[in-house]
Amino acid sequence: IVWVRVHDFQLESLKEVALRMLRQSPYYSLHLNELASGVTVPGEIGSHGFTGLVTILVCRENEGAHDVATEVKAAAAEGHSSTTAAPDSPDVVVIREASEVLKEANAPAPLQGRA
């Protein structure tokens, strides 16, 4: 379990520890289906979804940005396929390179370097 001591990440770590402990307890070892959806913390915000087409712009200089966008796209597709949408419906999330979008819009390129 990765332990990150920043509020929301720490809560996720604690939830994972608690879930693993509960799965080993006598009751839940016989009733694993009750833990299938995981555990929650009071006040925690649940899952969210997109209501329409979403375009994520990624910058190739931002290492890991495309990987994160790909994860979001996969999660959105998984949630989208469980709805009443037609199987051949278009992707909910489109990933595009930010510099290409700026070129298409004839917008000035973002400043290079750091302030």
Side-chain angles (χ1 to χ4, degrees), residues 57-68 97 114:
L57 301 179
V58 295
C59 180
R60 71 175 56 99
E61 288 81 18
N62 186 347
E63 189 175 322
H66 196 274
D67 293 339
V68 171
E97 173 61 43
R114 298 174 189 226

Side-chain angles (χ1 to χ4, degrees), residues 50 76-92:
F50 300 119
E78 185 177 301
H80 187 63
S81 67
S82 65
T83 64
T84 58
D88 60 346
S89 63
D91 290 337
V92 175

Side-chain angles (χ1 to χ4, degrees), residues 24-86:
Q24 300 304 313
S25 70
Y27 176 81
Y28 286 111
S29 65
L30 299 173
H31 302 92
L32 287 176
N33 61 324
E34 292 185 30
L35 296 174
S37 62
V39 294
T40 59
V41 175
E44 179 179 21
I45 297 174
S47 298
H48 285 70
F50 300 119
T51 58
L53 179 65
V54 174
T55 300
I56 299 177
L57 301 179
V58 295
C59 180
R60 71 175 56 99
E61 288 81 18
N62 186 347
E63 189 175 322
H66 196 274
D67 293 339
V68 171
T70 301
E71 285 184 41
V72 170
K73 181 176 180 171
E78 185 177 301
H80 187 63
S81 67
S82 65
T83 64
T84 58

